[in-house]
């Protein structure tokens, strides 16, 4: 249970960190921006648009949706290239902040 407590405390500290908040806000902004694009260009529902945006940026890619328009395909290629870097940066920043809490905890 000690590990779970440390992880929970680390997540709490991470979400108070300004750089974590900034990169997560940017990541959410990218997902929302892509969702708006897919909703209007591909004609998908809001739920399908958000779902596809998250699945794509996180590289899961189930394949149950795919863009049908040329604009959608071009946008998706750019979104993957830019979004992957942003998603990895967000995950790394959160993990780094959580792990740095372990370094600052005095050992008994």
């Amino acid at each position: 249970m000690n590990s779970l407590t440390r992880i929970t405390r680390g997540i709490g500290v991470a979400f108070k960190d300004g750089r974590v908040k900034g990169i997560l806000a940017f990541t959410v902004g990218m997902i929302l921006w892509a969702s708006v694009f897919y909703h209007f260009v591909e004609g998908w529902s809001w739920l399908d648009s958000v779902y596809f945006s998250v699945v794509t940026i996180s590289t899961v890619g189930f394949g149950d949706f795919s863009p049908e328009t040329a604009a959608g395909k071009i946008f998706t290629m750019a979104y993957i290239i830019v979004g992957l870097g942003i998603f990895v940066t967000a995950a790394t920043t959160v993990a780094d902040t959580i792990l740095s809490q372990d370094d600052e905890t005095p050992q008994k």
Side-chain angles (χ1 to χ4, degrees), residues 63-91:
D64 46 354
F65 289 99
S66 61
E68 297 293 325
T69 65
K73 292 174 183 178
I74 293 168
F75 176 83
T76 301
M77 288 186 289
Y79 178 61
I80 290 170
I81 292 168
V82 174
L84 179 58
I86 291 167
F87 183 79
V88 168
T89 301

Side-chain angles (χ1 to χ4, degrees), residues 33-86:
W33 175 58
S35 299
V36 168
F37 177 87
Y38 292 124
H39 177 74
F40 289 109
V41 173
E42 294 296 325
W44 296 342
S45 71
W46 286 110
L47 179 60
D48 289 342
S49 298
V50 172
Y51 168 79
F52 183 77
S53 298
V54 171
V55 167
T56 300
I57 200 172
S58 65
T59 72
V60 173
F62 289 123
D64 46 354
F65 289 99
S66 61
E68 297 293 325
T69 65
K73 292 174 183 178
I74 293 168
F75 176 83
T76 301
M77 288 186 289
Y79 178 61
I80 290 170
I81 292 168
V82 174
L84 179 58
I86 291 167

